[in-house]
Amino acid sequence: MSGAKDFRYLIPDRIFKEITNRAAEVYPNIENYWIFADRKENFGIVNKFIVNPDLRKTKTHVKPRSWMRYKKSKIYNMRKFKQELGVDIIWQAHTHPSGNDKLHPIDKKILKYLSNGVMIIIIPNLPENDPRLRSGDLPLKPHLVGWYYDKRYTKKPIIEKMVFEIIQE
């Protein structure tokens, strides 16, 4: 059974601007986040995000030094957030300063190891005249894309795109 089918992903405009502007601030680094959402009947509404303090900023994708520790840390943090914050949905997210909203091969390896999960990719807002853009780089239009991955019950993984709709509060 797919987790992404017939489910809508909503993000308030204010939070969308905060997270994409934060991604622009750390450009050209990759920064990791936790995104929290409330589940309603057939949709999730993002209500908050925080920087993931366990993973440091890097210039490139880096595979975990210990896969077991990575998985245990993720499970521990998700349980802790559910108890302390009382949230229904917790997603991991990170920036892609390249502007590519597809899964990087290391993202796929992480999801394959976890066997199921969601990875959200944040593209920063970098207009054409931004001084941080290097010569030849194209301007980046801000957006969020999620990827639902499930390999628990099938040989070939189910990978579905999660499109976030921006809503007014």
Side-chain angles (χ1 to χ4, degrees), residues 36-157:
F36 308 104
D38 290 323
R39 182 186 305 271
K40 303 297 181 204
E41 288 179 28
N42 65 335
F43 56 92
I45 302 175
V46 174
N47 60 21
K48 183 180 177 181
F49 78 94
I50 61 169
V51 174
N52 184 344
D54 297 338
L55 301 172
R56 65 185 189 283
K57 282 186 244 179
T58 60
K59 293 261 187 213
T60 61
H61 279 78
V62 178
K63 72 178 186 180
R65 280 182 267 160
S66 165
W67 292 96
M68 183 73 76
R69 191 176 300 134
Y70 181 89
K71 187 173 187 175
K72 282 184 174 183
S73 173
K74 179 182 177 182
I75 292 168
Y76 169 79
N77 281 313
M78 290 178 86
R79 284 185 183 148
K80 182 179 83 169
F81 291 138
K82 283 187 179 203
Q83 282 181 336
E84 291 176 2
L85 303 175
V87 291
D88 299 323
I89 301 172
I90 303 166
W91 293 309
Q92 282 186 306
H94 65 278
T95 60
H96 272 197
S98 65
N100 185 357
D101 61 9
K102 303 278 188 259
L103 289 170
H104 186 275
I106 290 179
D107 295 338
K108 287 181 182 174
K109 281 184 181 176
I110 290 169
L111 288 169
K112 182 179 178 184
Y113 179 77
L114 297 173
S115 76
N116 78 306
V118 168
M119 190 158 297
I120 297 175
I121 296 168
I122 303 158
I123 306 300
N125 180 22
L126 290 173
E128 199 171 320
N129 57 356
D130 195 297
R132 292 171 294 180
L133 285 174
R134 295 178 299 255
S135 154
D137 284 353
L138 296 173
L140 300 178
K141 185 176 178 232
H143 61 285
L144 258 71
V145 175
W147 294 96
Y148 172 80
Y149 183 99
D150 193 349
K151 194 179 180 328
R152 292 175 294 182
Y153 310 114
T154 58
K155 268 190 170 178
K156 190 173 183 209

Side-chain angles (χ1 to χ4, degrees), residues 26-38:
V26 299
Y27 179 88
N29 293 321
I30 295 172
E31 187 170 59
N32 296 274
Y33 306 94
W34 291 106
I35 296 179
F36 308 104
D38 290 323

